[in-house]
Every structure is written in C-alpha cells, then in structure tokens.
Amino acid sequence: FSKRLVNYFQDDSGLVTMSFSDGTIAEADVLIGADGMKSVAREVMYRDLADEAKRRDEEEARRLEGFIQPTWMGIHAYRSLIDTEALLKIAPGHQTSTTPVVVSV
C-alpha cells in the first residue's frame, strides 16, 4: 500500500522484481497489474513485448505499442455498493442478496 510502481523486470526463473517511486524494491512470484487506468504494469509489459516483436515483425510491434497507453472505448462504467441489510428492508428477498447481478445499460 502507498506505493507507486515505476518499473518491473521478470527474470528467466519467473521472479518479478519491482521498483517503486520511493526507491524501494520488492520481489514476488507474481505481479497482478491492477494499478488502474494509467497502469505502469500494462505499460511496461506491452513496451517489453513490442521491443521483443521489433526483432521479428515490425507490424506486430506497432500493434502492441498501441496497447501501451489506455484508449477510451466510448463506454462508461459505474460501480456502487449497496448495503444488503438496507436493501432487504425496502425489497425483502431481492435477488441480489443471494445471486451476483451485472446490469448492462
């Protein structure tokens, strides 16, 4: 927590070494890129893949470079949490108390 990823490197054994903006370094077996819209994890991953692809296929390298920065797809997503007890007071037996629900508009 309270860390900002700057870069990461995965060695041949699979070990991931992460560098953070405060100068610290950490190692892990797995890096999950859940770092938001301006994802450093995604940027580093696609930059590395594009650099690798440049040696074999320039067109593939350009395609991969297109994923480095996020692109708005014209879709909005809204998320919210609703207190189950409060919901069941106004809607007893509502399906969301027992079943996950995804609403698409």
Side-chain angles (χ1 to χ4, degrees):
F1 296 110
S2 299
K3 295 284 189 180
R4 185 167 300 277
L5 183 68
V6 174
N7 202 350
Y8 75 87
F9 172 78
Q10 187 170 17
D11 68 20
D12 293 336
S13 73
L15 184 69
V16 180
T17 303
M18 298 161 283
S19 303
F20 298 96
S21 62
D22 64 2
T24 59
I25 294 174
E27 293 180 338
D29 295 325
V30 177
L31 170 63
I32 298 174
D35 52 341
M37 184 79 166
K38 297 179 181 177
S39 171
V40 172
R42 181 192 58 247
E43 181 180 335
V44 171
M45 179 184 71
Y46 278 112
R47 190 172 314 282
D48 288 351
L49 288 171
D51 288 347
E52 211 176 281
K54 282 179 184 174
R55 287 178 252 151
R56 352 175 264 288
D57 185 346
E58 192 64 37
E59 187 176 326
E60 175 67 3
R62 280 193 301 277
R63 187 184 76 77
L64 290 166
E65 287 171 345
F67 296 118
I68 292 172
Q69 294 300 318
T71 304
W72 186 55
M73 302 301 291
I75 299 170
H76 294 278
Y78 297 93
R79 294 184 233 173
S80 65
L81 298 174
I82 299 170
D83 179 57
T84 304
E85 288 181 23
L87 173 64
L88 292 177
K89 283 181 184 175
I90 59 172
H94 194 278
Q95 68 176 354
T96 56
S97 67
T98 58
T99 307
V101 176
V102 175
V103 178
S104 179
V105 185

